[in-house]
Amino acid sequence: MLKRVLASAVAVAAASFAVTVPAYAVAFQTTATNLNIRSDAFLSAGVVKVLAGPTSVEVDCQKAGDSVTVASRTTTWWAHLPAHGGYATVAYIDTPGAKLPGVPDCPQDPPQTGDVTLADVQAMFGTRIANPSLVQTGLPSLNQAMRDAQINTPRRKAAFLATLVHESRLEYNIREIGDTRLYGGRGYIQLTGDFNYGPAGQWLGVDLLGNPELARDLRYSAKIARWYWTVARNINPYADNLDMGRVNAAIGYPAGAEDTRRCDSFKNALRYLTGSVPAGVKCTRPAKTAGDTSELNRTEFDALAKAPGAPGTVG
């Protein structure tokens, strides 16, 4: 079973968001005007506060996230500011290097090594698992695809499985009901359109354009889901940031009530995997991604889904 209680180190990380500054925090000076403090170490994360000018701050830990360049310095490190309830890029902290000296790394959710079982997905999604024997048949290939795609934390597993249970009921060979298009929806992630069949087939080394039925073959269905999740899109970081809105936008269907249903399934999976639903789950997608984004390439989608820079200095 995958159900786990969060390790004590992770509990400490969550507790660090309290307003009280830990005794072991290290003092630094920010250098920016209107500096965004974000809920996580990603430019897509929500802004929880804006520091109006250069400020003395206390940092209790730092973590790797999105890359930020200021002048000639580039860094992927973000400082956790417990008194302000979020993260600031180290690019706007007065220090010469890319990483803060004397500050420990923030605790991370440990990878989960166990495979997903039929009992797990039934507990997460209930009656959405309509054909248990078929789901069971596909799980070995699906678990392998998840390992290959580094879908190995509760957040990533919850987002991936919640997406697939709505796309295909976790049935590897499903064909979208009523879809008679040559390149209509097939397989775990309902691959759709020649703009996806072609690149996915090239990545797999098979002719999906010439034989689209291979998209729901047991040999390829899970691999295609992995391809879409990590090659056609880069979805793991959205899951890391509890941003189910952007996960849904990345899948490519128009916004609507389905977003809420998928976000509810994400929460159910998180509750099962960790024992609770963390604060900060985002169910709403960016307004620019409200339409069908399925024909966008990865670069185009990333540009459209990126959070706007206002109101602060950093992205």
Side-chain angles (χ1 to χ4, degrees), residues 144-159:
Q144 183 61 55
M146 291 170 70
R147 288 191 292 271
D148 293 341
Q150 296 185 337
I151 300 171
N152 55 6
T153 67
R155 295 181 182 193
R156 292 180 181 188
K157 287 184 175 183

Side-chain angles (χ1 to χ4, degrees), residues 234-272:
N234 184 26
I235 300 180
N236 276 335
Y238 299 146
D240 293 341
N241 198 31
L242 297 172
D243 196 342
M244 198 62 187
R246 279 182 170 81
V247 171
N248 290 336
I251 298 305
Y253 64 90
E258 179 67 6
D259 283 356
T260 300
R261 290 190 287 267
R262 294 190 184 208
C263 200
D264 287 342
S265 292
F266 175 59
K267 293 175 183 177
N268 288 340
L270 280 173
R271 187 178 293 110
Y272 174 79

Side-chain angles (χ1 to χ4, degrees), residues 74-208:
T74 297
T75 180
T76 59
W77 287 93
W78 291 64
H80 180 239
L81 314 181
H84 301 290
Y87 293 84
T89 172
V90 171
Y92 284 106
I93 292 181
D94 188 12
T95 186
K99 190 175 183 182
L100 297 177
V103 176
D105 292 357
C106 298
Q108 300 292 320
D109 287 345
Q112 292 188 340
T113 57
D115 283 350
V116 175
T117 68
L118 177 61
D120 292 328
V121 296
Q122 287 176 317
M124 292 179 206
F125 307 122
T127 57
R128 288 193 177 276
I129 306 300
N131 193 332
S133 63
L134 189 59
V135 172
Q136 180 68 65
T137 299
L139 278 176
S141 65
L142 189 61
N143 277 304
Q144 183 61 55
M146 291 170 70
R147 288 191 292 271
D148 293 341
Q150 296 185 337
I151 300 171
N152 55 6
T153 67
R155 295 181 182 193
R156 292 180 181 188
K157 287 184 175 183
F160 185 69
L161 294 170
T163 296
L164 296 196
V165 82
H166 282 263
E167 289 285 302
S168 61
R169 301 182 308 217
L170 291 175
E171 297 172 16
Y172 69 89
N173 65 350
I174 200 165
R175 180 74 161 92
E176 186 174 352
I177 296 173
D179 190 349
T180 60
R181 295 173 297 171
L182 179 61
Y183 301 117
R186 292 179 175 89
Y188 275 125
I189 207 159
Q190 290 294 278
L191 192 70
T192 304
D194 56 356
F195 46 85
N196 280 321
Y197 276 79
Q202 290 176 356
W203 185 79
L204 285 168
V206 298
D207 182 13
L208 288 182

Side-chain angles (χ1 to χ4, degrees), residues 20 29 37 41-42 70 80 87 149 187 192 279 305-307:
T20 302
Q29 185 80 12
I37 308 302
F42 303 99
V70 175
H80 180 239
Y87 293 84
T192 304
K306 185 178 179 180

